[in-house]
Amino acid sequence: MNIHAGRIRKILYISFISFLAGSLCACGDNYEKRAANEIAHTYNVPEEKQLIVYSSHKEEVYLPIIMEFEDRTGIWVEIHEGGTTEILEKVREASKAGACDIMMGGGVESYEAAKDLFVPYEPSDRDRLDEEYLSKSDLWTPFTELPLVFIYNNKLVSEKEAPTHWRDLLNPKWHGKIAFADLNSSGTSYTILSALSQLSSDPSEDLVREFLSGIKGNVLASSVDIIPNVLSGAYPIGITLEGSAKKSTFSGGDLTMVYPADGTVAVPDGCAIVKNAPHSYNAGRFIDFLTGYDTQKYATEHFFRRPVRMDVAQPEGYEEIRKIDFDIERSAQDEKHIFALWDEIIGREGD
């Protein structure tokens, strides 16, 4: 767990430029973070100027957003980070103690499965958000649209042999060769398995079981590890989020991104106010900030993500994608069963 405070970084002369200037703020190294943490405890921040956020986003995503939010509002943010599954468990415990305001990050199907943990909130710009991605009960709010894509290492896989359909991933030639993260830490992995379960008329258990059996126990610790492992050649192919793949190719990574020809899932990541939130008013302001025009535009330009606001243009070079009819509520209901299959197949193979 790390705790960061944007204004403390100003004391330490760690600079950042506002969103309006259009530049990404710099992140401090570990020493600077520890120093910021120590300084934070010497200041008495009024309760009305505090916010506690639990996030499964990578620091490069949450830090510039939180620092800009602090700069604009004067609210000090305490951030706890980890994988989606881990963060959900921590949020549940923190909620009991009244020690968490916001959960941020992770697919909205995870929020739907844990909706007893959240309270309704209607964002101030709700009418400008894409209705396709909104919670019917406002228990969670979408942040960005995240299509799933296939990726492959250009040196190891030719365009002709690269997978183009979801069922191609079941081909024995790819057994043990697909970069895939641990379900217990990665929300993206759950979205992938849930997508597989809804792709055909076959019993969902059969398709997921076949895919997991093909993983051959080769499981990465985090979804962050997928692209580096494909780039290094440790795995020739992988499944990841469009934004992550776009960022890698933009940076010169020698891989190709493929949109599944039979359609993909574009589940947004979410945010929500937690029950017993000690700073619920500030939590609402934070959600309004995340879904505001400036932040949504910033996310498209710097994080390679698609906005959920209808008045923010899609980034240049982002094509229209074919989507499968993905049922978020069904995905939430299937969660326990899919985790049980994971434990049965991957757990057994790891013995």
Side-chain angles (χ1 to χ4, degrees):
M1 178 185 74
N2 293 320
I3 299 176
H4 308 272
R7 294 184 181 277
I8 291 170
R9 281 176 169 73
K10 287 187 175 180
I11 297 173
L12 295 172
Y13 302 102
I14 301 173
S15 64
F16 71 95
I17 301 174
S18 71
F19 283 0
L20 296 179
S23 297
L24 181 67
C25 67
C27 302
D29 60 22
N30 289 335
Y31 171 79
E32 291 163 334
K33 291 174 187 174
R34 289 196 300 271
N37 186 25
E38 291 171 3
I39 291 174
H41 288 290
T42 70
Y43 288 83
N44 293 319
V45 182
E47 280 291 326
E48 65 271 16
K49 287 295 184 179
Q50 295 182 30
L51 182 70
I52 306 171
V53 176
Y54 279 64
S55 178
S56 62
H57 284 303
K58 291 182 289 185
E59 185 180 82
E60 64 189 62
V61 173
Y62 74 68
L63 189 56
I65 290 173
I66 284 175
M67 292 178 73
E68 181 69 12
F69 175 75
E70 288 178 319
D71 191 54
R72 292 192 183 191
T73 65
I75 295 170
W76 293 58
V77 180
E78 177 183 314
I79 179 76
H80 301 248
E81 59 186 85
T84 301
T85 305
E86 174 193 7
I87 283 295
L88 263 171
E89 294 173 354
K90 290 184 176 181
V91 166
R92 190 169 293 281
E93 290 304 310
S95 174
K96 294 175 184 177
C100 176
D101 296 305
I102 287 279
M103 177 167 166
M104 173 190 180
V108 295
E109 73 275 31
S110 297
Y111 289 76
E112 189 67 24
K115 57 185 178 182
D116 63 301
L117 188 55
F118 308 113
V119 296
Y121 179 76
E122 184 175 319
S124 58
D125 285 350
R126 191 183 194 280
D127 61 334
R128 297 182 182 274
L129 304 182
D130 191 332
E131 187 71 30
E132 178 182 355
Y133 301 121
L134 294 177
S135 162
K136 296 176 183 177
S137 55
D138 289 322
L139 282 172
W140 45 262
T141 302
F143 173 48
T144 52
E145 180 188 356
L146 300 172
L148 292 173
V149 297
F150 305 153
I151 56 173
Y152 63 89
N153 184 304
N154 296 328
K155 297 177 181 178
L156 301 177
V157 180
S158 69
E159 181 179 357
K160 183 177 180 180
E161 65 179 334
T164 57
H165 294 71
W166 285 93
R167 282 192 172 275
D168 294 343
L169 301 174
L170 307 179
N171 190 319
K173 72 182 292 182
W174 302 124
H175 284 184
K177 299 179 179 180
I178 302 174
F180 195 79
D182 189 342
L183 190 65
N184 293 295
S185 63
S186 171
T188 301
S189 289
Y190 181 75
T191 303
I192 293 167
L193 294 181
S194 189
L196 280 167
S197 76
Q198 297 189 31
L199 269 169
S200 75
S201 57
D202 295 343
S204 59
E205 178 177 328
D206 291 349
L207 203 59
V208 173
R209 185 181 291 276
E210 187 176 354
F211 176 79
L212 290 179
S213 295
I215 295 296
K216 294 293 184 183
N218 296 324
V219 178
L220 301 173
S222 168
S223 56
V224 176
D225 300 324
I226 290 175
I227 288 179
N229 272 271
V230 174
L231 284 173
S232 71
Y235 294 84
I237 66 174
I239 315 166
T240 189
L241 300 175
E242 176 191 52
S244 301
K246 281 276 190 182
K247 179 181 178 181
S248 179
T249 55
F250 182 81
S251 302
D254 196 12
L255 59 77
T256 296
M257 180 183 75
V258 178
Y259 293 100
D262 45 348
T264 192
V265 172
V267 176
D269 53 347
C271 56
I273 299 178
V274 178
K275 283 184 178 178
N276 301 319
H279 316 103
S280 58
Y281 177 74
N282 292 343
R285 293 182 68 183
F286 186 68
I287 289 179
D288 291 345
F289 180 74
L290 287 176
T291 54
Y293 182 88
D294 287 350
T295 307
Q296 289 286 302
K297 187 171 185 293
Y298 187 86
T300 68
E301 294 174 350
H302 295 275
F303 303 150
F304 300 90
R305 291 166 174 247
R306 298 183 184 229
V308 293
R309 281 185 70 105
M310 295 181 292
D311 57 351
V312 175
Q314 295 282 6
E316 185 177 351
Y318 281 63
E319 62 187 74
E320 288 295 319
I321 55 175
R322 180 182 178 185
K323 301 177 186 177
I324 67 171
D325 186 14
F326 187 77
D327 188 332
I328 290 176
E329 292 184 1
R330 174 184 164 184
S331 177
Q333 293 167 1
D334 288 347
E335 187 174 89
K336 289 184 179 179
H337 183 60
I338 289 177
F339 268 88
L341 285 174
W342 174 274
D343 291 340
E344 175 194 341
I345 298 170
I346 302 299
R348 182 183 63 219
E349 291 184 351
D351 291 340

